[in-house]
Amino acid sequence: MTDLETRVAPPHAPLLRRAVVALLGYAAVRALGLAVLAVWSAARGKSAHTLLTARWDSLWYTRVAELGYGYEVRLPNGDVHSNLAFFPLLPWLERLLHAVTPLSYADAGFVVSLLGSLAAAAGIYAVAERVYGARAGICAVLLWAVLPVGVVQSMAYSESLFTALAAWSLYALLTGRWVSAGVLAALAGLTRPVGVAVVAAVWTAGVVSFVRERGAERTPGALPSLYAPRRRRALGMLLAPLGAAAYVLWVGHRTGKGPLGYLDVQAGWRNGFDGGYAFARFVADKFTSFPSALAGLGLIVGVALLIWLYVTGVRERQPIELLVYTGVVLALALCASSYFGSKPRLLMPAFPVLLPLARALAGQRDFRSALVTAGLAVVAAVYGAFWLNGSGPP
């Protein structure tokens, strides 16, 4: 057992009952964001419903749900945008909900996203409470809700669904539920490519637990093992990569390009992993003129803040599964050559970076914490409405 695993004693009340305050606060923030979006969109003659359910990636997901895979768009520059780039769990859920309710595919995606965001908020609370206590759990949920791009949590996108699966898988690891962690990791792997971060967390936690257990067994006079039975750990580790592996291999088979066929699909979207070179050039290009230089400076400050928060988590000795998961999410988001406007939403699942901030906010007086959170909620609501009515998330 690590220090942080025993730092906070688990309360006796049921988890969801303990999370009620956090969930109510989260719902209030999201309701504010949707209300501001509705008013802003109406003032500009646009439909908030369309912005949330029928633009950008939402259209690709609903097309998969309705017609299946095989659709692609060929651009004048030769790029091929194939819907095989979109993992299947969200479209499957859209299709299922459409089949059992009067909802359209788009509205089904919206409902899945709303429910997924609540499940994600509960999972974030569970993880943060386990590590830092109940007050930090509430603050972590509210900080995730008031992210500048938090409106994506209410869109028919896969970020909320993925974050829910990732958070609950991490919580299962923290509480020794290895099979549950593996199943949830497999489902996360069917949701987004970044599901490999959850798989990495499960495998790292499993290997570390085996090593520690072996060391404890060799120590004279050591107490009996407190770890889960080895078979359950091994089963959880075996289950974790099945979702991502199954879809990637299926895409390779369908395209006829073998196990790496999915990489070719992503290349058609100009997505790849270059270690951050393209992003660094994008930032550097911002300094060619004065107005854009401010945006470049903001990007540098934002990346530096993320790195500082991650390093703070390391110094605070967060559980290894959280550090591995967060590190992989950050690396994939910041070091990919994908469209740079997408990076803020790609970073959204990296919720453990918020835990040091949540811990600091939890140490403040209730009035001050509420004032800070309310202010951030208003800013996020206004920015979300402005963003979706402008360039929006690609």
Side-chain angles (χ1 to χ4, degrees):
M1 302 286 283
T2 65
D3 292 340
L4 276 176
E5 284 176 318
T6 56
R7 178 180 295 176
V8 180
H12 296 293
L15 177 58
L16 291 181
R17 184 182 302 175
R18 303 197 304 269
V20 165
V21 174
L23 293 177
L24 289 175
Y26 177 81
V29 172
R30 291 271 44 85
L32 174 64
L34 293 177
V36 172
L37 175 64
V39 173
W40 192 300
S41 301
R44 298 197 53 170
K46 295 184 178 181
S47 166
H49 178 264
T50 299
L51 294 174
L52 292 170
T53 64
R55 291 191 67 187
W56 305 292
D57 288 5
S58 300
L59 293 173
W60 288 89
Y61 282 119
T62 55
R63 183 180 290 272
V64 173
E66 183 176 4
L67 303 175
Y69 286 104
Y71 175 78
E72 63 183 28
V73 175
R74 295 184 178 272
L75 304 183
N77 65 356
D79 290 344
V80 178
H81 289 183
S82 169
N83 64 0
L84 289 170
F86 296 88
F87 277 50
L89 186 58
L90 176 58
W92 286 348
L93 293 176
E94 290 179 349
R95 183 180 299 177
L96 175 62
L97 196 56
H98 170 75
V100 300
T101 69
L103 294 173
S104 67
Y105 290 104
D107 288 339
F110 179 64
V111 171
V112 170
S113 182
L114 289 182
L115 296 177
S117 68
L118 288 172
I124 292 170
Y125 173 85
V127 171
E129 183 205 50
R130 181 76 181 182
V131 178
Y132 290 131
R135 284 178 60 87
I138 295 172
C139 292
V141 170
L142 294 177
L143 287 174
W144 191 68
V146 302
L147 289 174
V149 294
V151 68
V152 175
Q153 297 163 17
S154 299
M155 297 180 66
Y157 273 41
S158 61
E159 273 76 10
S160 291
L161 176 62
F162 174 80
T163 304
L165 294 168
W168 283 108
S169 180
L170 293 171
Y171 179 73
L173 287 176
L174 293 174
T175 54
R177 297 175 173 88
W178 290 91
V179 176
S180 296
V183 171
L184 291 167
L187 292 174
L190 284 170
T191 307
R192 296 188 62 81
V194 74
V196 297
V198 191
V199 177
V202 173
W203 273 76
T204 301
V207 170
V208 169
S209 69
F210 277 119
V211 171
R212 288 175 175 170
E213 185 180 41
R214 182 64 60 87
E217 289 174 349
R218 293 178 177 178
T219 302
L223 294 174
S225 174
L226 297 178
Y227 292 102
R230 293 178 180 177
R231 290 183 180 179
R232 292 184 183 177
R233 271 178 283 164
L235 179 58
M237 294 173 69
L238 290 174
L239 290 171
L242 293 184
Y247 183 68
V248 168
L249 291 175
W250 178 80
V251 170
H253 174 73
R254 182 178 177 110
T255 59
K257 297 182 178 180
L260 300 181
Y262 183 76
L263 297 181
D264 291 333
V265 172
Q266 287 285 10
W269 287 81
R270 299 274 177 121
N271 291 336
F273 189 87
D274 62 2
Y277 175 73
F279 185 46
R281 287 192 57 184
F282 174 77
V283 175
D285 289 343
K286 293 293 183 181
F287 290 92
T288 57
S289 63
F290 172 71
S292 63
L294 296 177
L297 182 61
L299 289 171
I300 293 175
V301 171
V303 173
L305 176 61
L306 287 172
I307 295 174
W308 176 76
L309 289 172
Y310 182 75
V311 171
T312 301
V314 174
R315 290 176 176 173
E316 293 180 352
R317 300 181 65 187
Q318 287 183 7
I320 186 66
E321 44 267 66
L322 297 189
L323 296 176
V324 169
Y325 166 77
T326 307
V328 175
V329 173
L330 293 179
L332 291 178
L334 296 176
C335 298
S337 58
S338 57
Y339 180 73
F340 304 110
S342 301
K343 291 192 181 295
R345 70 175 178 88
L346 296 181
L347 290 165
M348 190 179 300
F351 68 89
V353 298
L354 299 173
L355 296 187
L357 293 177
R359 186 185 190 189
L361 188 61
Q364 303 296 316
R365 295 179 180 273
D366 290 343
F367 176 77
R368 181 176 298 179
S369 297
L371 187 63
V372 170
T373 304
L376 291 175
V378 172
V379 172
V382 172
Y383 179 76
F386 167 78
W387 192 40
L388 287 196
N389 280 277
S391 61

